[in-house]
Amino acid sequence: MSTLFDRLSALFEEGHARNVPGLMTDTQFVDGGGQTPAAVLIAVTDRPEPGVILTQRPRGMRSHPGQVAFPGGKLDPGEDAVTAALREAEEELALPRAAVRVIGTSDLYQTGTGFDVTPVLAVVPPDLKLTPNPDEVEAWFEAPLSLLLNPDSWDSNEVFWRGAMRHYLEMDYDGFRIWGVTAAILSNLSQRIPLDAFRDV
C-alpha cells in the first residue's frame, strides 16, 4: 500500500486534471473593490485514520470571532500561497514548516468579505506539539478527514445576505461548529478527492 502522501498526491493530481462544475464560491457577493490574496493550510495528519488540523479564532477578535478556520491569512509582499500558508501555520500554531509535505494548491475561493483564498493541501506528522498563539487561536483540534470529505456529514442551509440567498454548509464536531468558508473549501476538496477514492488509502 502506498503512503498517505503518495496516495493523496495521486488523487489530488487526478482530481484537479478534470473539470468539476458547481464548486462553492461567494463570487456573486464580491463588490468589485478588489480582493486581497490569502492562503490557508489544509494539514492532513499522517496516521491510520487521517485528520485535518483546524483552529478556532478567539471570541474577542474583531473579524469572524469564534469561527473555525484553517491556519492561514493574507499573503505578505513577495509571498506565494504556499509560503504564506506555511508561515501562518507556524505563527498561529508553531507548526514547523520543515515538517510539512506540500501536495499542492487547490481551487481558489472568493469570499464576499474581500479575500481570494488559495487552499494548500499538505501532509504533516501525527501528534505534533502545537502551541497556539493566543492572539490568533483560542483552540485547535483535529477532525477526521473521512468525515470532512463525506457530503452526508454536512447540513445544507441558506441565509439572506447582501440582497441574495447564500447557500452554506455546516456541521457540529465535538462542540465546534464548522461552517462558512472553511466548510465550502472542504466541500470543494471533496469534489477533487471523493470519499470513495480516499477509502483506498
Side-chain angles (χ1 to χ4, degrees), residues 49-64:
E49 294 286 339
V52 174
I53 294 172
L54 295 167
T55 68
Q56 183 178 45
R57 293 165 63 85
R59 299 176 195 276
M61 291 191 85
R62 185 166 52 186
S63 62
H64 308 292

Side-chain angles (χ1 to χ4, degrees), residues 148-169:
L148 300 176
L149 292 183
N150 186 349
D152 294 336
S153 300
W154 299 94
D155 294 323
S156 180
N157 293 295
E158 286 189 325
V159 64
F160 190 75
W161 190 56
R162 295 188 178 178
M165 294 303 296
R166 179 179 185 258
H167 172 241
Y168 67 95
L169 301 174

